[in-house]
Amino acid sequence: MWNLFAAGKALVVAILALGMMAVPFSVSLAQEPGPIKAFNVDAKKAELGKRLFFDERLSGNATISCATCHIPEKAFADGLALSKAYPGLDGFRNTPTLINTALKAAWFHDGRLGTNLNDVTREVITEAYIMNMDMRLMQERLKQDPIYVKMFKEAGYGEPDNSAVRKAIPEYLKSLTSRGAPFDKGSMSNAAKKGFELFKGKAGCIACHSGSRFSDDKPHNLGVPDNPDIWSNPQRHLTFVAYAMSMGIENHMNIRHDPGAHLRAHKADGTDVGKFMTPTLRELKYTAPYMHNGMLKTLKDVVAFYDKGGGEGANKDSLLKPLALSAQEQSDLVAFLNALSGDLLTGAKYVWEDKIDTDYSAIPNFRKTPN
Ligand code: HEC
Ligand code: HEC
């Protein structure tokens, strides 16, 4: 089963990789930290996208939805070190937040998709270890639900079809932007203010965590240790091997590390091995544990990691040096990082719900927060 899966995937991935290589990592437009600018969102399209996001019928065996892993009360991450996967498998990467994801220049921890969210949506739906869905089947399922027929029409898409799904879900994702963080409201504590000075100065964080999302949208190697669970848990290892094989990684049966951005660029000198995309620093309060493989449990651990100059590794970024921060300075930096998260609730609703209302009726087994 894996061979078949891999052969088909290899072709698709090869074609994708060709397309991606032509697109260089673009530089974040706004380098200065500041509030996130909200998008203009088409309400009808986003309502449809939201219903699709919570609908298990988008997965092959109709048992998982996007929200199985991207859980609203965890800022659309999942609280796990390594993600779940399609039933029978397990994931090998940490689930990223989807807040502000529409502003990214490249997606996934290795930055393997540098085009747009339309392509990312197709990738997660069809990827065998995520939703494992044949989009032709998905289209037929959607046509059987009169609520979808109505919603696709009202959103201006006509009949339910694949390309409309690939547009409607990103329209919903565009509605998920950070707001109300103490940093944006000018209500940071003194400790957080001191932390911000360290962030821009002595600690040098801003060299990579720049712009309003605090990310340069580039991959770097920090020497984060590998997560041994990927190799000791057969379900995770199987998923990792199939993925590495389909991405053209040599020796995929034997390697015991995640090659990161090397999957995308395949640099002959290997200097891209172990590089991962700089993540946003917004909404960190809700998205522990941290890093592409969940190896650091708390923000205190992350700051202590940087204070030591990062981890081990031949290709480690030369920007990382021991910082010699005092305990007080480390706790100020943590206070600053916490000031980049907004409140999750406004009254009885999640902040993210305020903008987009949708009709969840008639979705089989509907549960918004899966257990
Ligand atoms: C089984 C868990 C799971 C499900 C289901 C899932 N995702 Fe994800 N998602 C992940 C993980 C893990 C990653 C990171 C993968 C990587 O880096 O290789 C990810 C990455 C993403 C990204 C890129 C984020 C970034 O910062 O680069 C987007 C966007 C996304 N998912 C949207 C969706 C949508 C939309 C759906 C439903 C159609 C969905 N996901 C379903 C686990 C899941
Ligand atoms: C050389 C570029 C670089 C510098 C300098 C840097 N970071 Fe990072 N940061 C990254 C990258 C890349 C990752 C993701 C690594 C991974 O996934 O393995 C990351 C991850 C993080 C995370 C985890 C976020 C998450 O969602 O998992 C936090 C928190 C963080 N950095 C804070 C800081 C702080 C605080 C400083 C300064 C002390 C700093 N960073 C300096 C590039 C950098």
Side-chain angles (χ1 to χ4, degrees), residues 52-53 58 64-70 78 83-86 92-98 101 104 106-110 112 117 120-121 124-125 129-131 169 173 243:
L52 292 164
F53 190 89
L58 261 66
I64 60 170
S65 73
C66 309
T68 302
C69 301
H70 299 288
D78 59 11
S83 79
K84 296 182 178 175
Y86 192 70
F92 57 91
R93 295 255 172 92
N94 180 262
T95 302
T97 178
L98 297 185
T101 200
K104 294 187 72 156
W107 289 268
F108 302 114
H109 291 290
D110 44 28
R112 70 181 178 273
L117 272 181
V120 177
T121 301
V124 288
I125 294 176
Y129 70 89
I130 303 186
M131 306 281 277
I169 290 180
L173 297 179
Y243 175 73

Side-chain angles (χ1 to χ4, degrees), residues 94-97 109 195 198-200 202-209 214 216 218-225 274-284 287-294 296 298-299 302-307 316-321 323 325 333-334 336-337:
N94 180 262
T95 302
T97 178
H109 291 290
L198 291 163
F199 186 88
K200 294 185 289 184
K202 183 175 172 186
C205 316
I206 203 158
C208 304
H209 294 285
F214 298 89
D216 59 1
K218 291 195 180 104
H220 301 275
N221 185 328
L222 308 184
V224 173
K275 284 189 174 183
F276 294 91
M277 296 296 288
T278 307
T280 180
L281 298 183
R282 287 183 172 272
E283 316 306 336
L284 291 170
T287 62
Y290 304 104
M291 305 300 181
H292 69 278
N293 55 8
L296 299 180
T298 65
L299 292 175
V302 173
V303 169
F305 171 83
Y306 282 112
D307 186 52
K316 197 171 78 172
D317 199 297
S318 59
L319 283 170
L320 298 189
K321 296 263 161 35
L323 299 172
L325 298 171
L333 259 180
V334 170
F336 169 65
L337 295 174

Side-chain angles (χ1 to χ4, degrees), residues 129-258:
Y129 70 89
I130 303 186
M131 306 281 277
N132 194 22
M133 183 52 152
D134 180 327
M135 291 190 93
R136 291 163 301 185
L137 174 61
M138 178 185 71
Q139 180 169 303
E140 297 312 313
R141 279 193 194 156
L142 299 179
K143 282 184 187 161
Q144 289 167 13
D145 178 339
I147 297 179
Y148 275 131
V149 172
K150 185 162 164 273
M151 288 179 89
F152 275 80
K153 199 161 174 216
E154 283 175 5
Y157 291 130
E159 287 247 297
D161 78 352
N162 297 338
S163 74
V165 170
R166 289 174 56 185
K167 290 181 197 140
I169 290 180
E171 196 65 20
Y172 169 54
L173 297 179
K174 273 161 64 182
S175 74
L176 306 176
T177 50
S178 287
R179 41 213 126 120
F183 175 77
D184 301 323
K185 291 193 296 191
S187 60
M188 286 204 292
S189 66
N190 281 336
K193 282 181 194 157
K194 283 188 203 145
F196 187 33
E197 292 309 313
L198 291 163
F199 186 88
K200 294 185 289 184
K202 183 175 172 186
C205 316
I206 203 158
C208 304
H209 294 285
S210 53
S212 57
R213 281 175 300 120
F214 298 89
S215 166
D216 59 1
D217 281 318
K218 291 195 180 104
H220 301 275
N221 185 328
L222 308 184
V224 173
D226 273 288
N227 189 329
D229 201 32
I230 300 173
W231 289 277
S232 60
N233 170 334
Q235 268 78 23
R236 293 197 201 286
H237 192 209
L238 193 62
T239 315
F240 173 80
V241 168
Y243 175 73
M245 181 161 69
S246 69
M247 295 298 281
I249 295 294
E250 285 174 17
N251 203 19
H252 46 261
M253 282 309 287
N254 299 318
I255 55 169
R256 292 290 180 271
H257 63 265
D258 185 334

Side-chain angles (χ1 to χ4, degrees), residues 317-369:
D317 199 297
S318 59
L319 283 170
L320 298 189
K321 296 263 161 35
L323 299 172
L325 298 171
S326 68
Q328 183 60 53
E329 287 174 324
Q330 293 192 34
S331 98
D332 290 346
L333 259 180
V334 170
F336 169 65
L337 295 174
N338 276 319
L340 301 178
S341 300
D343 290 333
L344 214 50
L345 289 168
T346 49
K349 273 186 158 185
Y350 295 112
V351 174
W352 331 112
E353 315 278 81
D354 276 350
K355 278 202 170 166
I356 309 296
D357 258 323
T358 195
D359 176 2
Y360 297 116
S361 61
I363 297 187
N365 305 321
F366 180 72
R367 52 175 195 272
K368 190 146 181 206
T369 311

